[in-house]
Amino acid sequence: MPGQPLALPSADELFEDAACGLVLTDLDGRILRVNRIFCHWLGHGCEQLIGQRRVQDLLTMGGRVFHQTHWAPLMQMQGSVAEVKLEVVHRDGHKVPMLFNAVRRRHGDVMFDEIAAMVVHDRQKYEQELLLARKAAEAAQAQLTHADRRKDEFLATLAHELRNPLAPMQNVVRLLKRQALEDAQLVWAREVLDRQLAHLTHLVDDLLEISRITQGKVDLRCQRMDLRDALHVAVEAAQPFIDSAGHALALSLPEVPVMLHADPTRVTQMVLNLLNNAAKYTPQGGRIALTAEVRGGEAVVAVRDSGIGISADQLPGVFEMFSQVASALERADGGLGIGLALVKGLAALHGGRIEARSEGPGLGSEFTLSLPLVVEAEDSVGGQEVMDMAMPEPIPTAPGVLRIAVVDDNEDSADSLAMLLEMQGHELRVANDGLAAVMLLAEFRPHAVLLDIGLPGIDGFEVARRVRAQPWGQAMLLVALTGWGQQQDKDATAQAGFDHHLVKPVNPDDLAPMLERLARQA
Ligand code: ADP
């Protein structure tokens, strides 16, 4: 009511009926003052505790040991402990789980320990529910993954089976082409067959390719190569299509070689895909530009067109498998929406990436393909420059938070280790085989990788070598997790580029110092 002073509770009342247990002790733990609620939780009267008992005397045996080995030293060293869960023994013998916070503070000339405690039944219940929800989500995820794998397998089988009858059909068309046909209708029929068969073959090949990539079955034949050569081959292959649509193609390539460690056929394939799309999604008589340059330790290839463009909401989805923008469908020419997914997969396998930009519908599109430059180990001056430029651009994380990848074909080991590290606040990703690991690391660019050696596909040694061959992989902390701890095993991991060698089962305490050091630098 206006004018009437509020009747606030006194400090004593606040202390006694606080929403948590409050205890004041001397440095030995002896209870000097305790509030009503804490005594009530333990079934004691306050007078039975004050001056009579030490806090540690109220704990279970395990709690007392913890108090001695952790709590007391921490109070001495840092003057506080936070969120410690311990069990306190009720007067009737049952255990009450509690969460404690304590600080050491000076009042006048004397130091005291001030302790706040909460009963954690509710929290436990809540945590259990969280755990159940998480398990349900994981089960749903596992089901989805299974269905997804079945779909990939089905597509792979389908592509394979479709390809078998295509080969003899192509041979027959080739045979027919050798015939000097007189009948104009037959000539026309042969041409239709030829064109449609080529189109069908192209679709089936794309399907087969993407299945191989999603199943990790693509083997790159990487070699030292000049990017410009691959670009010339792609332009040559795309030129007829570009010309037939009446587009003008502008080329701008560096004058000096741009050396990559890559598979030339695949690089050509990626750029050819982008050029064909530019021609396909640009109305007759448009402009297409192909440029290549070296930027930030990477080769950056850009294909720009003056075509139909892509709206902002469709842009993020264009690299997904089978994605087709509705407005582009009439031009899709029977495409399956696989081409860009293929480019994305191949780019990742090379340790690179692809990005799309467009100002919007009608305003053209730009696709940029970035691939790591080769690291010239033998040329220390030039090589060092490349490596300096090629340091991974750190994707910022909160201070002390690391991006960590765990690679292990034993899913339970991988998941549990990842979960443990996630609980320490880090950002975690998991891969279960070698190729998946290479793709994950290229995309995720973790600060640290915990890498099992025995892996399906390519082993951990090869993963480490491939990572170290990339500019962005130089600074990554690579930790080998292996069953073997002999000196020769350690030599082998060191030689493959690992920074540390840990023998399984890994004790997370062994990891802690490495990660702490890394977090300080990150
Ligand atoms: P497809 O061309 O077979 O449909 P892609 O994976 O190559 O499959 O492309 C996926 C979709 O992305 C296309 O259907 C189209 O909507 C859009 N797209 C690709 N390239 C361009 C481009 N240069 N301009 C506008 N849209 C494009």
Side-chain angles (χ1 to χ4, degrees), residues 169 172-173 176 188-198:
M169 284 159 86
V172 170
V173 171
L176 283 178
W188 170 82
R190 184 180 64 188
E191 278 167 11
V192 170
L193 255 186
D194 189 18
R195 266 200 311 276
Q196 298 304 322
L197 203 53

Side-chain angles (χ1 to χ4, degrees), residues 44 161 208 225 326 509:
H44 287 291
E161 291 301 321
L208 202 62
M225 57 164 282
D509 290 345

Side-chain angles (χ1 to χ4, degrees), residues 277 280-281 305 310 323-325 328 335-340 365 367:
N277 272 355
K280 187 158 70 170
Y281 297 109
D305 64 56
I310 305 168
S323 81
Q324 288 182 318
V325 176
L336 290 174
I338 286 181
L340 288 180
S365 315
F367 287 82

Side-chain angles (χ1 to χ4, degrees), residues 275-308:
L275 285 172
N276 278 340
N277 272 355
K280 187 158 70 170
Y281 297 109
T282 299
Q284 191 84 13
R287 276 167 290 117
I288 299 174
L290 171 66
T291 58
E293 59 182 358
V294 170
R295 208 192 301 153
E298 289 179 320
V300 182
V301 180
V303 177
R304 239 184 329 264
D305 64 56
S306 60
I308 61 170

Side-chain angles (χ1 to χ4, degrees), residues 78 154 214 266 384 440 471:
Q78 65 182 37
F154 169 72
T214 48
R266 300 308 193 167
Q384 192 55 47
L440 170 69

